[in-house]
Amino acid sequence: MKLIVIDIQKGITDSRLFNFDEFIKNTTRIIQAARDNQIEVIYFQHDDGPGTGFSIGDEEFEIAEQVTPREDEKIFIKNINSCFGNKDFTDYVKDENTLMLVGLQTNFCIDATVKSAFERGYKVIVPQGTNSTFDNDYMTGEVTYKYYNDMMWPDRFVTCVSVDEAIKLMEKKK
């Protein structure tokens, strides 16, 4: 099992997110549990390209302080929604069978990575309350979150579990 922390970057990690405080609390618990159980934590940063304000060298591109990686933890950069758009990452996890995903945003990079991982045969686990998104022109952040986490993903693409259940799964991997 590997824990993938997706796009929790300064420019989009704030109170505009649905259930922001719980998202941060749950996500930091999962990251700490992975570290405590010797499960590798891998980070991703999304790069929208030079001049966008959300690219390498921009403050908003940096990983948010709440989830700062350790020096020995890998960081990959992507410029499409799915983490599998990064060939180095795809090669790095090719022998893995289980990926636990947390991060931003539910309806973009998390959804794309969920489906890409599923199509590649991975067992995908998404702990409840560890992904989030913003309100959009069609749905609130809450409705968007529930659409994916409660309806779209379970029993199709991922195993959605509570944070406590996710931690127990990590403890079994010791």
Side-chain angles (χ1 to χ4, degrees):
M1 177 187 300
K2 295 195 185 307
L3 174 64
I4 315 301
V5 180
I6 302 170
D7 301 351
I8 304 180
Q9 295 167 257
K10 290 181 180 180
I12 57 173
T13 304
D14 58 44
S15 62
R16 296 173 297 159
L17 291 166
F18 164 67
N19 210 15
F20 175 68
D21 292 332
E22 283 297 307
F23 162 70
I24 292 296
K25 182 181 98 177
N26 292 333
T27 302
T28 56
R29 273 188 71 205
I30 290 290
I31 292 169
Q32 189 57 54
R35 291 170 175 161
D36 292 346
N37 289 285
Q38 292 76 51
I39 292 171
E40 185 175 9
V41 181
I42 298 171
Y43 286 80
F44 263 92
Q45 290 171 276
H46 188 89
D47 187 339
D48 277 341
T52 63
F54 205 74
S55 186
I56 295 171
D58 296 325
E59 180 69 19
E60 295 201 346
F61 174 79
E62 298 304 317
I63 294 171
E65 288 89 4
Q66 298 96 323
V67 297
T68 302
R70 292 185 175 167
E71 279 189 31
D72 62 337
E73 292 172 333
K74 291 192 177 310
I75 301 171
F76 291 95
I77 295 170
K78 62 183 182 55
N79 54 22
I80 66 168
N81 285 345
S82 173
C83 293
F84 290 93
N86 181 307
K87 185 178 177 347
D88 292 337
F89 170 75
T90 301
D91 291 345
Y92 187 74
V93 298
K94 71 178 189 273
D95 296 326
E96 188 57 57
N97 61 5
T98 304
L99 301 177
M100 187 175 290
L101 306 179
V102 301
L104 300 174
Q105 294 180 61
T106 305
N107 47 327
F108 292 104
C109 299
I110 302 298
D111 182 55
T113 302
V114 158
K115 290 173 181 167
S116 292
F118 173 81
E119 289 169 350
R120 287 169 169 79
Y122 292 95
K123 177 180 181 182
V124 182
I125 300 168
V126 175
Q128 295 167 349
T130 62
N131 64 85
S132 187
T133 195
F134 304 107
D135 292 350
N136 62 60
D137 290 343
Y138 304 97
M139 297 185 282
T140 63
E142 179 178 8
V143 170
T144 305
Y145 171 87
K146 288 179 178 179
Y147 173 80
Y148 288 96
N149 287 269
D150 298 345
M151 195 278 288
M152 181 57 72
W153 297 335
D155 303 321
R156 288 182 184 88
F157 303 106
V158 305
T159 302
C160 291
V161 298
S162 71
V163 169
D164 289 339
E165 289 174 271
I167 291 170
K168 284 181 184 153
L169 290 170
M170 287 189 238
E171 291 168 350
K172 290 179 184 175
K173 295 289 180 184
K174 270 187 173 177

